[in-house]
Amino acid sequence: MTHPRDAVEWLPQATAVLVTATVLALAAAALLDRPPPAADRGQARMVLRFLERAPAPVPSTPGVMRVAAPALVPSRARVPSSPGAAAPEQPPAPREGSTSTSARLYDANGQVRLPANVAVDPLDPGATAPPGMTNERALRRARQVLERPQALPYEPTRFAKDWASDGTLGDAAMQAVGRQMKKLTRVIFGDDIQAAVARPPPDVRFNPALHEQPSDLGSAATGDAYKAAPIPAEKAPDLNGTASAVIRAAIGEVEARHRGCSAAQLRDALGIVLPHLQELQRVERMAANGTDPVMAEHSLPAAADSAYDLARRALWYSHRQLQQMRCGG
């Protein structure tokens, strides 16, 4: 006899076999269920025929001969296979307003056909400018390579400094650091912060006898002994030409007092004055024609004072040399 427990264990296996057989039967029925052929349904077949495109007409240019290109006709259409064979089918004529119109408006490459006297195609973004003219389109494209078009113009307001930047995290951090540095500067230096201004050199009286190294003052061997002339230092009156006029008048006075000297003696004695006079005139010319504001405030006055003082010392030394020659004065 079959035990009830054995019947219970056999039931799932039988169910699985039955379900598998049902699935296989449905799959076979789906594969075998094919549609009937087209001939049985009474539908006509579609025939696909390829037609050769007619060559595009070449625009006529005055003074240029045109050679007609041979028509692109298939080899089987040129020569019939047999004398009794039927003539090849000709492609249908283009409809009016479609192919003929497009052949006149566009060339073989599909571009707009222009008259022969047009040098540059205004619709071609890559067109080059004629010789001697600047291609503004190319320059504009070159300038806008790394530029992003701005949809709306931005006008900063007085509240812009209080808002965080819309850029990257680094930009926002730098903006925050800048705010804190401004606050720290205001705490240290106060609200009234003034820019640093260069201080002019101190006004010290020159005394060659008290100089630490007399060799630095010049000597007769090197031709610059006039730098140690025992006269007080003076600054240039101004940069408007007064200083150079004073030096020129002093040169004329020395020449007048020593008329008995020859021209060569006067030229040798007063030759040490001319370089400093030229330097003084150069500084006055720069001040009159406009220069850097910082240079005009600090550098030019100091250069004028130095040239004026050295010119005066050279004049004193030249006058002394001419007196020792005993040629007049």
Side-chain angles (χ1 to χ4, degrees):
M1 293 182 63
T2 303
H3 199 272
R5 182 176 298 176
D6 297 338
V8 172
E9 293 179 357
W10 175 81
L11 182 61
Q13 299 177 0
T15 304
V17 171
L18 181 60
V19 171
T20 304
T22 304
V23 171
L24 293 176
L26 293 176
L31 293 176
L32 295 177
D33 186 12
R34 297 181 301 174
D40 299 342
R41 297 197 301 267
Q43 297 181 359
R45 294 183 178 182
M46 181 178 62
V47 179
L48 181 62
R49 180 177 300 172
F50 295 93
L51 301 178
E52 296 293 339
R53 177 181 296 178
V58 181
S60 60
T61 304
V64 179
M65 296 180 61
R66 292 187 295 110
V67 181
L72 302 177
V73 182
S75 58
R76 59 185 179 82
R78 295 177 184 174
V79 181
S81 58
S82 60
E89 296 182 0
Q90 298 294 336
R95 294 180 299 174
E96 183 178 1
S98 60
T99 307
S100 60
T101 305
S102 61
R104 289 195 303 269
L105 296 179
Y106 303 95
D107 56 8
N109 298 328
Q111 298 181 354
V112 178
R113 189 182 303 280
L114 298 174
N117 56 355
V118 177
V120 181
D121 183 3
L123 302 179
D124 185 7
T128 57
M133 297 183 63
T134 305
N135 194 342
E136 296 295 340
R137 291 189 175 185
L139 294 177
R140 184 168 60 253
R141 287 196 301 270
R143 289 193 296 264
Q144 295 177 353
V145 170
L146 301 179
E147 293 182 2
R148 185 173 56 184
Q150 189 175 5
L152 298 176
Y154 171 71
E155 296 182 0
T157 62
R158 60 175 182 172
F159 302 103
K161 63 181 184 301
D162 299 326
W163 296 95
S165 173
D166 295 334
T168 61
L169 184 60
D171 297 338
M174 292 302 298
Q175 190 174 8
V177 170
R179 291 202 193 98
Q180 297 301 326
M181 289 299 296
K182 289 181 180 179
K183 294 180 180 178
L184 182 61
T185 305
R186 191 178 297 108
V187 170
I188 296 176
F189 301 101
D191 295 335
D192 188 11
I193 301 176
Q194 298 180 359
V197 179
R199 186 174 58 183
D203 190 5
V204 180
R205 186 176 180 86
F206 176 72
N207 188 354
L210 300 179
H211 201 275
E212 183 178 1
Q213 297 181 358
S215 59
D216 295 341
L217 300 177
S219 61
T222 57
D224 55 353
Y226 63 90
K227 295 181 180 179
I231 58 176
E234 291 185 10
K235 294 184 177 181
D238 53 34
L239 299 180
N240 300 329
T242 306
S244 59
V246 171
I247 299 299
R248 286 193 299 268
I251 292 176
E253 183 180 352
V254 172
E255 291 178 348
R257 293 182 61 179
H258 300 278
R259 294 194 185 118
C261 300
S262 63
Q265 291 175 340
L266 291 175
R267 183 172 58 252
D268 294 341
L270 297 175
I272 58 177
V273 186
L274 298 181
H276 303 293
L277 177 61
Q278 294 175 356
E279 176 66 16
L280 183 59
Q281 292 175 345
R282 186 187 68 86
V283 173
E284 292 176 345
R285 192 181 309 111
M286 291 178 60
N289 297 332
T291 184
D292 182 74
V294 178
M295 182 181 295
E297 184 178 359
H298 305 288
S299 301
L300 293 185
D305 294 341
S306 175
Y308 182 74
D309 183 66
L310 290 176
R312 290 177 55 256
R313 296 181 184 281
L315 277 171
W316 182 89
Y317 186 81
S318 300
H319 175 61
R320 182 182 178 184
Q321 291 297 106
L322 292 174
Q323 283 182 342
Q324 292 178 357
M325 294 179 184
R326 298 183 183 277
C327 58

